[in-house]
Structure formats: C-alpha cells, structure tokens
Amino acid sequence: MATKLNQIHEGKAKKVFATNDPTALIHEFKDDATAFDGKKKGQILGKGSVNAQISAALFRLLEDHGVKTHFRELLDDRNMLTDKLNMLAVEVVVRNVAAGSLAKRIGYEEGIKLKKPIVEFYYKRDDLGDPIINEDHIYELGIATESQISEIRNTGLKVNNILKSFFDELGLTLVDFKLEFGLKDGQLKLGDEISPDTCRLWDKETGEKMDKDRFRRDLGRVEDAYQEVLSRVKGITKVGGKF
Ligand code: TMP
Ligand code: ASP
C-alpha cells in the first residue's frame, strides 16, 4: 500500500507527493482552476475528483492500446498513484478542429475541421510564456533526442486516434488536447493528466463546449459540464443532446 509522504511540488491543478516507494508519486487533483498563464484564477467544485477519475479511465484505455503511461492506480477519488518520471519541458498539443490559439494564429474560424491532425509543441517556460516551438528547437534545447522526438509525435497521433473514437462514441468531438511526456529508465511515458482541463470536447449534437473553455470564457455551468463528461466516460448517461 502506497503511503503519501512529503509534498514535492504544487502545480496549478495538482499537488505532487513523494511516497514510501521511491519510484512512485501521488498526484492529488485540486478543484483550483487557472487560465491565461495563471492570470485568471478560480475554483471548479468537484473538478479534482472528476479529472482524477477521467484521467484514470483514459490512461487505462491508452494502456489497453499499448500506450505507455505513468498511471498505476487511483487510490481514492482524487489521489492517483503513478510512476515517477523525469518530465520533458515540452507540451504536445494535437488538434483535429481549429480552436483556441490555433484559430487565432492562422486566422481560422473556430470549428473548421482540419485536413489532418496538427501536432504542435510548446516550450514549458513560464517566464517565456510557453512559446510554440518545433522539433529542431526541442533538439537544440536538449529536451529530447531525435528518435524520442519522433516517438513523441507518433504517440501523440496514436493517442489522438484512440481518444477521438472513444469520445465520438460518447457523443463528444475531440477538438484538441495537450499531453506531457516524461522518461522512466530511458523509456518515454505519458505523464500528467488527460481531462476536460487539458482537452477541448464539444457535444456532437448541440456543439456545446464541455471543457475548461466554459471557465476560460465565462460560459457558465462549468461544474455541470465536467460532471457530464465524467458520467459519459463512466457510461451512466444517455449520450448526446443531454447537456
Ligand atoms: P490552445 O488552443 O490554448 O493552444 O490549447 C490547446 C489545447 O491544449 C486545449 O485543449 C487546452 C490545452 N491546454 C492545456 O492543457 N494547458 C495549457 O496551458 C494550454 C495553453 C492549453
Ligand atoms: N492552465 C493554464 C494556465 O493556468 C492555461 C489554460 O489552461 O488555459 O494558465
């Protein structure tokens, strides 16, 4: 049984604790929500629990499809036991539909379906505002080797295929999402979380946003949207047109 020891990190949405197993960590998912590099702050009641459960379900799904993740087990509704990874200073965004910063960057209306998925990389550097970078920058910065960079890209696309069809069956369009990778004994694994904080999910019937954009853009019914995604992931609500 894993025991929670000292806190080693507090992020915007999670606290990370050491455990009695030096190769493992416990991630405690918080209700705190931030946006725009932490400039907007708030709380989404129940978010920690919802995101921990959704992340656990998605990590299990990905593992079943051969994707290596840091997930070990959900200890309770907001504490997740994981492998300890050496995290890479890059965020990987995969997009199927134009939205958010891509729509702004290339002058597309939100909602335009992309010809094929777009993979983007962002350098995790708060002081620089997490700028967009490419594979050459990742190599130059020594974040990953060339073969790791291509593995990251391919894994991002594989995760996209798996999650896109999973959410499609739940009546949700996977617009885009963000992944973070780390190394364990030289092997790349998916870390962090996959949740409505890190994905854009639009109801297929109504087009309603079912993700953190409700908080970012003050759209209201934030908690309801997160709960609805969890219910669909657990298979306990009728799919489509519900929200
Ligand atoms: P973006 O359109 O703002 O670049 O966001 C793309 C996707 O990445 C979206 O699903 C939200 C997610 N994301 C995060 O998880 N963390 C972040 O800090 C940002 C900026 C985006
Ligand atoms: N989580 C990021 C922040 O706090 C950005 C976002 O998700 O919009 O700034």
Side-chain angles (χ1 to χ4, degrees), residues 14 25 27 29 55 59 63 67-73 80-85 87 184 189-193:
K14 292 185 289 302
L25 297 173
H27 294 254
F29 287 66
S55 287
F59 282 139
E63 289 276 356
V67 177
K68 295 271 173 272
T69 80
H70 71 161
F71 178 73
R72 289 195 190 174
E73 68 180 291
M80 183 184 285
L81 183 70
T82 73
D83 292 329
K84 181 176 187 171
L85 304 183
M87 296 306 291
K184 181 175 165 67
K189 288 190 169 204
L190 261 187
D192 198 50
E193 67 178 282

Side-chain angles (χ1 to χ4, degrees), residues 91 93 95 99-102 105 120 122 130 176-178 197-200 216:
E91 296 190 347
V93 171
R95 304 178 185 269
S101 70
L102 175 75
R105 183 174 306 111
E120 295 173 347
Y122 294 86
D130 294 351
D176 55 35
F177 60 94
K178 185 263 302 176
D197 270 14
T198 64
C199 300
R200 284 196 176 93
R216 294 189 189 97

Side-chain angles (χ1 to χ4, degrees), residues 150-233:
S150 70
E151 191 181 336
I152 289 169
R153 188 185 152 80
N154 291 338
T155 305
L157 290 170
K158 178 173 178 175
V159 168
N160 184 44
N161 283 333
I162 299 163
L163 295 186
K164 207 168 49 164
S165 34
F166 176 74
F167 282 119
D168 186 68
E169 284 182 25
L170 304 183
L172 295 165
T173 301
L174 178 62
V175 171
D176 55 35
F177 60 94
K178 185 263 302 176
L179 301 175
E180 296 190 28
F181 290 83
L183 289 168
K184 181 175 165 67
D185 305 326
Q187 189 189 34
L188 272 172
K189 288 190 169 204
L190 261 187
D192 198 50
E193 67 178 282
I194 311 176
S195 71
D197 270 14
T198 64
C199 300
R200 284 196 176 93
L201 297 164
W202 294 353
D203 186 277
K204 272 169 50 181
E205 275 183 29
T206 65
E208 285 270 20
K209 299 186 195 318
M210 308 288 283
D211 55 61
K212 195 174 159 190
D213 273 346
R214 299 201 76 81
F215 168 79
R216 294 189 189 97
R217 305 179 187 191
D218 296 321
L219 300 177
R221 291 194 300 155
V222 186
E223 282 84 2
D224 289 355
Y226 276 68
Q227 292 291 345
E228 174 63 18
V229 174
L230 176 62
S231 298
R232 292 195 199 182
V233 166

